[in-house]
Amino acid sequence: MVVRLLFFTIIFFGFIASHFIQSTHASPKLGKVDFPTSGSGLAQRHFISGVAALHSFWYPEALKEFQRSTKADPAFAMGYWGEAMAHNAPLWERQDSKSAKVALSKISDLLGLTQREQDYIQAVQLLYGKGEKKNRDNAYSNAMKKIYIKYPKDLEAACFYSLSLLGIARNTGDKIKLRINSGAIALEVYEQNPDHPCAAHYAIHAFDHPDLARLALHSAQRYAKIAPASHHAQHMPAHIFIQLGMWSEAEKSNENGWSTSKKWVEREKLPKSNRDYHSLQWLHYVYLQQGLIGKAKAIFKTQQKDMKEGIQAAAKSKPNPNLRSGKYYYRMFAAAIIETEQWEEAKQLMPPEGWQPKSFSKAGYAFVRGYAAAMQGDDEAKKYAVELKVIREKGFRQNHFNRPEYLEVWGLEIETAIKLYEKDYEAAIQIAKQATVIEEKLPSPSGPPRILKPTYELLGEVYLKAGKPKKAKEQFAISLARHPNRIRSLIGAARSAKFNGDKLTAKENYSQILSILKNADLVFPELKEAKVFLENY
């Protein structure tokens, strides 16, 4: 009888232990999170999954899990906290205050919660309180700092404080310090829980900068394995790989990001607009950096096909038309022309009929058409330069990514190209220099250049055509420090060394080019240039 009782006791406590572990740790597909609350059972399990998804910026999945937690237990206050958190995307400056406040209004009794839970809820109430968003973001960050200090063993406090620093870094002058602090906290979490999704993820965002990227290489190599179910987790390592010029690794990350998002959309029967076109656009750029012209064209066709379907669906007033893919059209169009220098294709590659871009996207498209026209001596370039000026003067909705300075740079680059074609090199140099001064004040490079044509690279090309290879070399060196292993800047550096009679440096550059282009399509002209030089060295 005693043996039998002992047996059932072991089974019972084994079940309880198993239940507890499941309720405090997320699925291995999203990483390991430990966030104890006053909730229990099914509500807590869904809550933990929601937190894990939230740390990978998988907002739809996080919201779904938090809503499941409050459905299982309508009095579960932290579930409503999670819902409110899922309506805030700090790195995209996107916030649904109305929906978040509805969720928070369902929290009826704070007194029945632990002090720690009350602290978290009071912090998120500041995030959605009164005043300008910038001030609310700062107030929330300060509150999370207090929680981080108050509960030193709470890794979630560390994570959300780290993320809050990245959020406020968007709109402050002291960006580098905030990013370093954020990244350092994320790495602290990593030391204690290397499978925590926030640990690798936030370190990548924090160190996504040309001067800091090496600090996040290990995080980049780990993150996709920590949260394989998240398409964002598959893509994010590419931020560091591109910063370090690691093209094959960046290729794999973006291929996985795109394919994982497609599988999720198909599995959940979601609208195509949920596909990760961000990964697709980055993959297009990465293919071009390796001279994989055929693969890049196939990717571009996929984007255009989805874009066309979305436009047609919208015209027929169908629900949830996929218009999101069109957001990336101008950047893929730009890469297709600028990275290959096939200027004549700018007129041949036309956007799908019915495309109605926002002002900033329209400006980017106008720049590429104008720049390509200028490089061919086509007077149409001036028309596009005027269009850019009109859009800039009229104004548009600005944010961290869409800034009037970009349009100013694009106008100057078209002017530079016009003077370059006319062989007025001194004028071209002065105009290109103006563009570099403006670019220096813009956010640091991250991924495919948002400037579309890096200004230091263009200035180097101008100096090269002006017969000044030493000065050209200096500009290409700056460009490569900002965009490591970028193929057009490497080609410029190789040509500068060759024309300056520095055969050894030219050999090093061309060898590097050949290594990057080892799988390139044979039609990629710089592949032949590198081979010819090295064969005759």
Side-chain angles (χ1 to χ4, degrees):
M1 184 69 180
V2 174
V3 173
R4 189 174 179 183
L5 182 61
L6 180 61
F7 173 78
F8 283 112
T9 300
I10 292 170
I11 293 294
F12 174 77
F13 282 106
F15 171 78
I16 292 298
S18 171
H19 178 80
F20 177 76
I21 291 169
Q22 288 177 2
S23 69
T24 58
H25 291 79
S27 160
K29 292 186 177 180
L30 285 173
K32 294 182 180 178
V33 173
D34 188 6
F35 197 155
T37 70
S38 55
S40 61
L42 187 60
Q44 176 69 1
R45 288 201 295 275
H46 284 306
F47 173 79
I48 290 296
S49 293
V51 172
L54 195 60
H55 283 313
S56 284
F57 296 170
W58 198 0
Y59 298 109
E61 189 70 13
L63 184 59
K64 182 175 71 175
E65 289 297 321
F66 289 131
Q67 289 173 338
R68 284 175 173 174
S69 77
T70 54
K71 184 178 180 181
D73 180 2
F76 184 34
M78 289 303 289
Y80 297 117
W81 166 89
E83 286 186 43
M85 291 293 289
H87 289 301
N88 183 53
L91 300 196
W92 289 277
E93 301 178 49
R94 195 170 63 236
Q95 193 178 83
D96 183 354
S97 295
K98 184 178 179 180
S99 297
K101 287 178 180 178
V102 169
L104 292 173
S105 69
K106 296 176 183 177
I107 301 174
S108 57
D109 181 20
L110 286 177
L111 295 178
L113 305 177
T114 65
Q115 184 59 54
R116 174 174 165 275
E117 288 172 310
Q118 292 181 45
D119 292 341
Y120 271 94
I121 290 169
Q122 288 166 357
V124 79
Q125 286 172 337
L126 291 173
L127 183 64
Y128 295 108
K130 296 179 180 179
E132 295 289 325
K133 183 180 182 298
K134 180 180 178 180
N135 295 333
R136 289 186 281 112
D137 287 344
N138 282 315
Y140 169 72
S141 182
N142 287 332
M144 286 312 306
K145 181 179 181 179
K146 291 176 182 177
I147 296 173
Y148 167 65
I149 294 170
K150 187 176 181 180
Y151 305 100
K153 294 183 179 180
D154 183 359
L155 297 188
E156 295 310 304
C159 285
F160 287 112
Y161 176 46
S162 171
L163 179 59
S164 75
L165 292 175
L166 292 177
I168 62 175
R170 289 287 192 195
N171 297 297
T172 185
D174 200 5
K175 293 179 175 62
I176 293 296
K177 184 178 180 180
L178 287 170
R179 290 172 73 153
I180 290 174
N181 286 343
S182 171
I185 293 168
L187 293 179
E188 287 175 7
V189 175
Y190 185 85
E191 287 180 5
Q192 298 177 66
N193 180 1
D195 290 321
H196 199 298
C198 108
H201 186 195
Y202 300 166
I204 291 171
H205 277 292
F207 299 133
D208 184 9
H209 184 282
D211 297 334
L212 305 174
R214 184 61 183 81
L215 298 173
L217 180 57
H218 188 61
S219 298
Q221 293 167 332
R222 279 279 298 152
Y223 185 35
K225 298 173 185 176
I226 292 171
S230 165
H231 58 82
H232 186 71
Q234 301 309 300
H235 157 77
M236 270 308 299
H239 281 247
I240 299 303
F241 296 145
I242 289 181
Q243 288 282 18
L244 299 174
M246 300 168 66
W247 299 121
S248 58
E249 291 84 354
E251 177 184 338
K252 183 178 179 182
S253 288
N254 287 301
E255 284 178 344
N256 289 344
W258 171 244
S259 63
T260 303
S261 77
K262 282 178 62 180
K263 290 174 184 176
W264 169 55
V265 166
E266 291 164 8
R267 183 175 66 249
E268 300 294 329
K269 296 181 173 57
L270 299 170
K272 277 188 176 181
S273 57
N274 285 279
R275 287 180 170 187
D276 188 11
Y277 292 101
H278 179 69
S279 286
L280 192 72
Q281 182 245 318
W282 281 45
L283 181 58
H284 178 255
Y285 175 79
V286 169
Y287 279 155
L288 289 170
Q289 293 309 303
Q290 299 172 92
L292 302 172
I293 306 297
K295 283 188 172 184
K297 285 183 176 179
I299 287 291
F300 199 13
K301 284 181 181 178
T302 296
Q303 185 274 339
Q304 289 178 291
K305 177 177 176 293
D306 285 5
M307 187 176 165
K308 184 177 180 181
E309 287 178 2
I311 292 169
Q312 292 173 344
K316 295 176 182 178
S317 299
K318 290 186 177 180
N320 299 315
N322 182 18
L323 298 177
R324 185 168 178 270
S325 61
K327 174 183 176 182
Y328 298 94
Y329 175 78
Y330 86 91
R331 294 186 70 187
M332 295 176 78
F333 172 71
I337 304 302
I338 291 170
E339 307 307 327
T340 63
E341 295 191 341
Q342 295 176 0
W343 311 120
E344 67 285 352
E345 286 202 14
K347 284 187 176 181
Q348 299 167 14
L349 285 171
M350 300 298 292
E353 187 178 348
W355 182 48
Q356 295 181 341
K358 292 182 179 179
S359 295
F360 192 83
S361 295
K362 187 177 180 182
Y365 178 73
F367 161 66
V368 181
R369 290 292 302 270
Y371 186 74
M375 294 299 282
Q376 299 173 87
D378 188 338
D379 280 343
E380 198 175 44
K382 295 175 183 177
K383 178 189 79 173
Y384 288 110
V386 170
E387 186 175 338
L388 279 171
K389 185 178 180 182
V390 169
I391 294 173
R392 184 157 61 90
E393 290 176 349
K394 187 176 181 181
F396 51 86
R397 186 176 180 182
Q398 300 174 27
N399 58 31
H400 177 78
F401 304 106
N402 300 346
R403 298 169 180 247
E405 292 92 337
Y406 284 103
L407 278 67
E408 192 175 355
V409 168
W410 291 338
L412 290 170
E413 290 191 322
I414 291 175
E415 289 182 46
T416 300
I418 291 171
K419 295 299 181 183
L420 198 58
Y421 188 84
E422 294 172 350
K423 296 185 179 180
D424 186 349
Y425 299 124
E426 286 306 312
I429 288 168
Q430 294 307 314
I431 297 168
K433 280 183 175 180
Q434 292 177 48
T436 64
V437 171
I438 298 169
E439 185 182 356
E440 274 289 350
K441 297 176 183 177
L442 289 168
S444 59
S446 172
R450 286 187 174 271
I451 205 74
L452 303 179
K453 176 63 176 178
T455 60
Y456 287 104
E457 181 177 274
L458 176 58
L459 181 55
E461 291 169 354
V462 173
Y463 273 128
L464 201 54
K465 290 194 176 182
K468 299 179 179 181
K470 285 186 178 180
K471 287 188 174 293
K473 178 185 175 183
E474 292 172 2
Q475 302 308 313
F476 289 124
I478 296 173
S479 183
L480 286 166
R482 293 167 66 83
H483 307 279
N485 284 341
R486 179 176 157 79
I487 200 67
R488 298 243 66 88
S489 290
L490 276 174
I491 290 163
R495 289 171 179 169
S496 298
K498 183 176 72 173
F499 294 159
N500 197 41
D502 185 354
K503 290 187 177 181
L504 181 60
T505 301
K507 180 188 177 184
E508 291 173 356
N509 291 148
Y510 278 121
S511 295
Q512 192 174 359
I513 290 166
L514 203 58
S515 176
I516 292 171
L517 299 179
K518 59 181 180 294
N519 297 316
D521 296 355
L522 296 178
V523 296
F524 199 74
E526 285 74 16
L527 178 63
K528 182 179 179 181
E529 179 182 334
K531 285 181 176 179
V532 169
F533 179 88
L534 293 171
E535 286 170 1
N536 294 287
Y537 178 75

